[in-house]
Amino acid sequence: MWIAGLLILCSLLIYGMVMIFLPGSYTIVASNQIEREIQQLTDTLTQTNYEDAQKVIEQFCYKNQAMVSINGDGTTLFFGSIDDPSKEGDEMMTSTGEVLFANREEPYYLSISAPVSAGKELTMAFLKLLPWLLALILLISALGAFLCSRVLVRPVLEISRISKRMAHLDMTWDCKVNRTDELGILANSLNTMAKRLDTAMKELESANEQLREDMEQLTELSRQRRDFFAAASHELKTPITILKGQIESMILGIGKYKDTGKVLPETLKEVENMERLVKEILAISHL
């Protein structure tokens, strides 16, 4: 719609400028033409006999719708007439001067009056053509807007839609702009970038999945280690308690613990059990 509106506006501006300036230019051209015709008539009369001048002047009057008067030798002759001199819009050009005929020695006074169109006929013609011209402008503008939207605007809208999907990290698309200009190069670049980003995102997702699996494995190992140390600490408490009880009983000489020679082998056995557990804990801690 914007393109159609701009085309219509430009067409109307051009038409208005032509309608305004062309009549003025036409008036200037018509005035210059009349001046040239008058000058040509004067030059022709200087080479014509007085008796033959009537035919030349009548031809001039018929051609230019002018009125000519010749005054000299006590007589005044009038040639031609101006049709409807009060006609609105026409300007009158009047020229006076002396002319010397080929067979006369005394000069004659020549007076010429000719209408010069002010160009209003052209303005009226433009106004009459305006409705048809408006219809033509609307048709051409609509066709031009349609072609511009197909050629220029549609690819831009497609690229804009693709860029919005890229902003949401959606790479499941293909920019179908089959052109060889800058828009086509941009579309191909977007397609290439999308493929590379999609590959990178898939690799990143795969790495993230592997990282999650590794984290889960580390979590499981940490849990197993905690469980092991909890069990090992529990297992160590029992022989420590037994050793502590036996040693205290031997120190106090209670019951069978008076016979240290019999009790010490049992104590050594508990120490060996503790040594074995400590070695297992050290082995696991180095894994």
Side-chain angles (χ1 to χ4, degrees), residues 122-142:
L122 289 176
T123 303
M124 296 301 298
F126 278 120
L127 292 176
K128 290 180 180 180
L129 289 175
L130 186 59
W132 296 97
L133 189 63
L134 285 176
L136 182 62
I137 288 174
L138 289 175
L139 178 61
I140 295 176
S141 299

Side-chain angles (χ1 to χ4, degrees), residues 132-165:
W132 296 97
L133 189 63
L134 285 176
L136 182 62
I137 288 174
L138 289 175
L139 178 61
I140 295 176
S141 299
L143 181 60
F146 175 76
L147 293 177
C148 288
S149 65
R150 297 285 295 181
V151 175
L152 297 177
V153 179
R154 187 175 179 181
V156 173
L157 292 177
E158 176 69 13
I159 294 174
S160 176
R161 182 181 63 84
I162 292 301
S163 63
K164 291 180 180 179
R165 295 181 64 178

Side-chain angles (χ1 to χ4, degrees), residues 208-267:
N208 288 336
E209 183 65 25
Q210 183 64 38
L211 181 60
R212 281 193 295 270
E213 293 179 357
D214 293 341
M215 291 296 294
E216 290 176 357
Q217 186 177 2
L218 288 174
T219 302
E220 179 64 21
L221 289 175
S222 179
R223 185 187 62 80
Q224 292 178 0
R225 181 169 294 180
R226 286 196 305 270
D227 293 343
F228 171 77
F229 282 111
S233 63
H234 179 71
E235 291 294 331
L236 286 173
K237 286 180 182 179
T238 301
I240 291 175
T241 303
I242 294 173
L243 286 173
K244 183 179 179 181
Q246 290 178 350
I247 293 172
E248 289 179 351
S249 298
M250 286 188 291
I251 293 172
L252 297 175
I254 300 173
K256 66 175 182 177
Y257 294 100
K258 294 178 180 180
D259 188 2
T260 57
K262 185 178 180 180
V263 177
L264 285 176
E266 295 178 2
T267 304

